[in-house]
Amino acid sequence: MGVEKQKSSISRLKDLKRFYHYSNLINIPTYMFVSNEYNLNVMPITISGVWEYYADIFNSIKQADTIENAAKVFTNAMDTLFSLSEKHNGKKMGSYTRLLKGWLFDSNSIEGAVMKGWVESRFGIMPFFHKEIIPDVNSEEYYGYMVEKMDSKHNKNLIFHQLDLLYTYTQCILQTFYRDSLPKITLYRGVNDLSEHLVVKEYDKTRLCIEQNSLVSFTSDRDIASQFGDYILTSEIPYTKIVFFSEVLPTLSFVGEKEYLVLGGRYDTIVTYY
């Protein structure tokens, strides 16, 4: 896809209401959750039934004295619940860690499609980009994303349910060990061309409101962000929109150090040239 085509496609995505589902599995409507108004008045978000059904696990996590011990409780529980150490027909069971590693390597991979599918299912936010611009649900581009989202290699072993637990675990870690930084955390994203982003409103030359895709990567390190582009986008991200960051699972190794997986929506953003 050429740059000019991408620019014109992005510019046509002005009314994103069609990218928000009326139904979701969280405790507020999607259009409210993705709004900039929500970012100014952050309220706790829960995925229906997860905390209620697994309260013992999450209460134990909140009582842990270190993130390392909390991670052990979580990973042991996940191994037990989903038999992640076992093999079926000689192949490992589908796991959240495999999805995370796939995303961190390439967010437009099949693993990325599965994760965006989970976001769409749970939070009601449809992606408007996966490998290419997705203009609407009736497009060939959306169909291509759906095919990858339902890939049998990764979409198995209750993988959406595993991601529900991962999100809830990340929320527990933030509330327990990062409470002094809440309700919002400053994160950065490096880009080469602002036309690749959907600018909803311009306050002035350096302050914009940008609509981010359903699931995107930020970093807590401005220098790392600069490696991905000359323009640095700085946003205050509500903790409830953080799905994962590598520090919550210190016993596992991930390529994307200091990378944060953030749910999409509208964010006031400061744009600076590195």
Side-chain angles (χ1 to χ4, degrees), residues 11-115:
S11 66
R12 288 201 300 269
L13 298 179
K14 293 189 177 180
D15 180 12
L16 286 186
K17 290 181 180 178
R18 66 184 184 275
F19 289 90
Y20 309 145
H21 294 303
Y22 288 107
S23 60
N24 61 40
L25 294 181
I26 59 175
N27 49 303
I28 64 173
T30 301
Y31 72 86
M32 184 184 299
F33 183 55
V34 300
S35 71
N36 205 26
E37 288 73 21
Y38 172 85
N39 299 341
L40 300 175
N41 301 279
V42 181
M43 62 177 289
I45 296 297
T46 56
I47 298 175
S48 180
V50 176
W51 181 275
E52 293 85 349
Y53 197 79
Y54 298 102
D56 290 346
I57 294 174
F58 292 118
N59 282 328
S60 295
I61 288 167
K62 283 202 163 191
Q63 292 170 9
D65 56 347
T66 64
I67 294 179
E68 288 76 9
N69 288 334
K72 288 178 183 177
V73 173
F74 177 72
T75 54
N76 289 339
M78 294 294 281
D79 288 346
T80 300
L81 288 169
F82 302 102
S83 304
L84 299 182
S85 301
E86 299 179 10
K87 291 185 177 181
H88 181 67
N89 294 329
K91 297 181 180 179
K92 289 185 176 181
M93 305 292 282
S95 73
Y96 66 102
T97 56
R98 191 179 307 172
L99 282 187
L100 289 172
K101 290 177 180 179
W103 170 279
L104 294 171
F105 181 75
D106 180 7
S107 61
N108 285 305
S109 61
I110 292 176
E111 294 92 337
V114 174
M115 295 196 71

Side-chain angles (χ1 to χ4, degrees), residues 198-217:
L198 182 57
V199 177
V200 177
K201 186 175 182 180
E202 294 187 32
Y203 303 111
D204 55 45
K205 290 184 179 180
T206 60
R207 297 189 307 122
L208 311 172
C209 180
I210 294 178
E211 182 98 27
Q212 295 288 355
N213 198 23
S214 61
L215 187 65
V216 291
S217 291

